[in-house]
Amino acid sequence: MKPAIGALLLCAMFLAISQLSANSVSTWPGLNSMQFHLGGDTYAELRKAPNKAVNRPNPMENDGQAVAAGKLLFLDHCSECHGDDAKGGRKGPSLRVSDVQNATPGTLFWLLTNGVVRKKMPAWSKLPEPQRWQLVRFLRSPEAVPNPSTDAATKP
Amino acid sequence: MIYVRLTLVLALVLPSLAFSGSVAAQENPYFVAYDHNLEEPGNLEVEYFSTFGTQRAGKDFHSYWTEFEYGVTAWWTSEFYLDAQTTFHDSTVYSGFKWENRFRVLKHEHWINPVLYAEYEDTNGTDKTLKEVVGHDAELDYLTSNAEARQEHKREMELKLILSSNTKGWNFSENIIAEKNLSNEPWEFGYALAASRPLALKGSATRCTFCRQNFIVGAEMYGGLGDRHSFGLRETSHYLAPVAGWNLPSGWTLRVSPGFGLNDNSHKFLLRWGLSREFKGLDQLLRRMFGAKS
């Protein structure tokens, strides 16, 4: 049993050190942690999508259930990093910015499929294609990005 | 005694998990094969697996192991195992520990996605998890009593090349295994093949436990490939096993797999089952524990 406990302690130490070293840099004053994680230009990866991917239409575009299903998938798999309201969190950038909203459905699908694995965004190819398209529908829907005027009107 | 030890280890880990939230998992149903999908960074998956095996001319057994799988980065997953085993009408023994690491090689998704796997095993001869089958594996090797088998101490290094594809809702995985006992024994080889698919590909618009999308079914085939001196499919065991997984919205995943031996060297029947839960935000918990500013 002694080796097992030793190995467990070793793993815990190793994980702690890796976390500390990763996180110590992101708390430098004046440095946006998301910019650090994703490079100087947070959304640069979107521009790397190949033309073939950019031009792919969303097969779920006319699916009445796609936005609702996409919202559940977002809450299950994406909100942990990007926040429940997609405004960004400690680990992931905002998805309500124009870079994301102006990207084609095919570009967003490509990014979801491939991730940015060198910069902490996992590849989501384990979700079946229809679910990834449902996520794309949700991300580009008014539910994910409320109209600012509607927002203001609903505030007390 | 083994239950006391495992409980102690779990008692150390589980309270800390209480501070983290669970996350709905999308796990494959495999027990032996690996695919290229790694753990999400910062998440911890705690898994319990069991294998019940029949033994001709001997006593049936129940082996079980606990896995702690952590996503270090989006391209690196680290996993720690604790193994134990009960042989009926014999005894219950601790079998050892394993530490594995999986590394995603390529930046983008491709038709075939390679992942490199490296594992260190420190076990005794009572290990009957059958997590992989390598070399000239035979059912007869498992006849030794626990008292005798635990005298054997094995330190092994295991390497795998994991090749995996996701296409049209299907996952296809091929694993090529090479294992070396760090004492003076030859390299042994094995393989695992698997395919699986969710019962439905579209996500449901409402939260549901019994939706078809939550169920994944498939099959695994695995076996030995001999060793460096006599490579091949002969004089070793092979298995075929249907697999099924159920990903619950609460974050739990249940898996079950009846496995069937394909030749006289194989155990006739293996029944595997598993329960796992994924917890998000272990990295944040560690940050707080070590005093990092939020």
Side-chain angles (χ1 to χ4, degrees), chain B residues 12 22 32 41 51 53 95-96 150 155 201 211 218 232 280 291:
Chain B
L12 286 172
S22 68
V32 175
T51 298
S95 305
R150 70 186 303 179
R155 289 195 177 92
L201 300 183
C211 296
K280 65 181 177 185

Side-chain angles (χ1 to χ4, degrees), chain A:
Chain A
M1 196 62 186
K2 276 182 186 171
I5 292 172
L8 194 61
L9 288 172
L10 189 71
C11 287
M13 271 176 58
F14 168 73
L15 292 175
I17 290 166
S18 65
Q19 285 302 320
L20 283 175
S21 60
N23 291 321
S24 60
V25 189
S26 64
T27 52
W28 285 355
L31 180 64
N32 179 308
S33 62
M34 290 310 107
Q35 283 183 340
F36 171 75
H37 284 309
L38 296 173
D41 184 351
T42 305
Y43 303 97
E45 200 69 19
L46 287 167
R47 292 191 287 277
K48 295 179 183 171
N51 282 340
K52 193 179 166 189
V54 171
N55 297 324
R56 279 184 78 178
N58 189 342
M60 294 284 164
E61 203 59 55
N62 299 317
D63 186 318
Q65 305 282 303
V67 173
K71 183 177 183 179
L72 288 180
L73 290 165
F74 180 87
L75 292 172
D76 285 345
H77 303 298
C78 314
S79 64
E80 181 195 345
C81 296
H82 296 285
D84 287 347
D85 52 7
K87 282 182 177 172
R90 192 191 302 274
K91 292 198 281 185
S94 171
L95 304 177
R96 295 171 74 160
V97 297
S98 58
D99 298 69
V100 176
Q101 294 305 315
N102 294 336
T104 66
T107 303
L108 297 178
F109 180 85
W110 177 84
L111 194 77
L112 266 174
T113 303
N114 290 284
V116 192
V117 292
R118 297 286 185 264
K119 295 169 183 168
K120 292 210 166 185
M121 161 83 181
W124 284 100
S125 65
K126 67 178 175 182
L127 290 178
E129 277 199 21
Q131 292 186 27
R132 275 174 271 154
W133 285 118
Q134 287 174 323
L135 265 169
V136 170
R137 264 301 302 279
F138 168 71
L139 287 175
R140 293 167 53 87
S141 70
E143 214 168 321
V145 190
N147 186 321
S149 58
T150 317
D151 260 4
T154 53
K155 279 180 185 166

Side-chain angles (χ1 to χ4, degrees), chain B residues 174-192:
Chain B
E174 306 86 36
N175 299 177
I176 301 152
I177 308 165
E179 188 174 280
K180 174 86 173 79
N181 191 318
L182 297 180
S183 62
N184 192 23
E185 287 186 26
W187 281 93
E188 296 179 304
F189 303 99
Y191 71 92

